[in-house]
Amino acid sequence: MDIHTHGLPERETGEAVYFLNRIVGKERLSDEPMHMPFSVGIHPWYIEGDGRAQLEALWKVARLPEVWLIGEAGLDKNSPDLPLQQTLFETQALLAEELRKPLVVHCVRAWQELLGSYRKLHPLSAWIIHGFRGKRALAEQLLNAGFYLSFGAHFQAEALQAAYPHRFFLETDESPLPIQTIYQHAADSLSLPVEEVAEQAERNWEKLTMI
Ligand SMILES: [Zn+2]
């Protein structure tokens, strides 16, 4: 299971499930096939104006059964207007909450702000921080707060070990590596058979969707 990707592999073997991400304002949602699971949200890099038109567009698609997650949404200190980012992020988090769908979170150097939003909103929906590359101490702080962490092509083994077994996912994001390779890297870091890691990720996903 690839919980977050921006592109599908050219040759699909059918052994993996891909959760394709779609960015409101960057991709035209209506033109694309809607028959497979995807996540949709307003990425902090692609906010247009006050973001209101994008929120309206998001509202229209978010209820579709093919939308399995909301996001990626988040906070990025390398992008302008953090207060506006935070407003749009929290609005999307509330939408995820209302729809009982997990939220995929993009976070760059804004951990305290993210923790602040989490404590403020007390979400029941899972918040999954995608592409987590931080060290173990940060991972533990986020895990203790209640977050899930998703790891991609680059990650710290100790952070993955902290999140395994119940709070981890794996993803390709924008990496050209196949998801199978990322599972193999994770399995090597955990000294576990790759099948076990894959089964655990599926169990984690099933648990999230039961709330
Ligand atoms: Zn992404």
Side-chain angles (χ1 to χ4, degrees):
M1 193 181 71
D2 183 346
I3 201 140
H4 180 80
T5 183
H6 292 273
L8 298 173
E10 278 172 24
R11 278 184 298 124
E12 245 201 275
T13 57
E15 67 175 346
V17 181
Y18 298 91
F19 294 2
L20 186 65
N21 185 246
R22 287 163 173 174
I23 299 172
V24 182
K26 184 174 177 243
E27 285 137 358
R28 288 185 49 176
L29 303 172
S30 53
D31 291 352
E32 301 198 30
M34 292 290 193
H35 58 274
M36 54 182 300
F38 66 97
S39 55
V40 63
I42 304 164
H43 193 295
W45 294 352
Y46 299 101
I47 298 172
E48 294 161 357
D50 63 4
R52 213 170 282 188
Q54 285 166 290
L55 280 174
E56 274 170 33
L58 175 60
W59 245 252
K60 282 187 194 142
V61 291
R63 278 168 210 284
L64 291 174
E66 295 87 349
V67 174
W68 288 20
L69 309 102
I70 303 298
E72 59 186 293
L75 304 170
D76 192 325
K77 282 209 177 152
N78 295 340
S79 290
D81 204 343
L82 196 65
L84 174 62
Q85 290 182 37
Q86 197 145 14
T87 302
L88 288 183
F89 171 66
E90 291 184 357
T91 306
Q92 293 180 84
L94 290 171
L95 176 65
E97 198 65 4
E98 188 188 315
L99 299 174
R100 292 281 184 269
K101 294 181 181 184
L103 181 70
V104 185
V105 179
H106 167 104
C107 186
V108 176
R109 293 174 43 233
W111 301 107
Q112 291 318 311
E113 289 84 353
L114 180 64
L115 282 160
S117 291
Y118 194 87
R119 291 190 189 113
K120 184 165 110 188
L121 300 180
H122 284 295
L124 287 175
S125 292
W127 288 20
I128 305 165
I129 298 170
H130 100 87
F132 187 76
R133 297 186 186 193
K135 297 208 171 105
R136 185 179 190 114
L138 178 59
E140 281 174 348
Q141 194 187 353
L142 294 163
L143 293 164
N144 288 339
F147 287 85
Y148 290 72
L149 302 178
S150 174
F151 301 87
H154 303 281
F155 62 85
Q156 307 276 337
E158 286 197 334
L160 172 63
Q161 287 156 9
Y164 195 88
H166 299 302
R167 296 295 188 91
F168 91 102
F169 289 102
L170 297 172
E171 63 179 54
T172 52
D173 195 13
E174 292 186 308
S175 169
L177 288 179
I179 188 65
Q180 289 84 352
T181 306
I182 291 169
Y183 270 87
Q184 192 58 59
H185 287 169
D188 294 345
S189 303
L190 295 162
S191 307
L192 290 171
V194 70
E195 295 78 12
E196 191 175 326
V197 176
E199 280 165 21
Q200 185 61 48
E202 270 176 51
R203 277 198 292 273
N204 290 353
W205 174 255
E206 279 162 22
K207 241 196 288 171
L208 286 199
T209 50
M210 281 185 337
I211 63 159

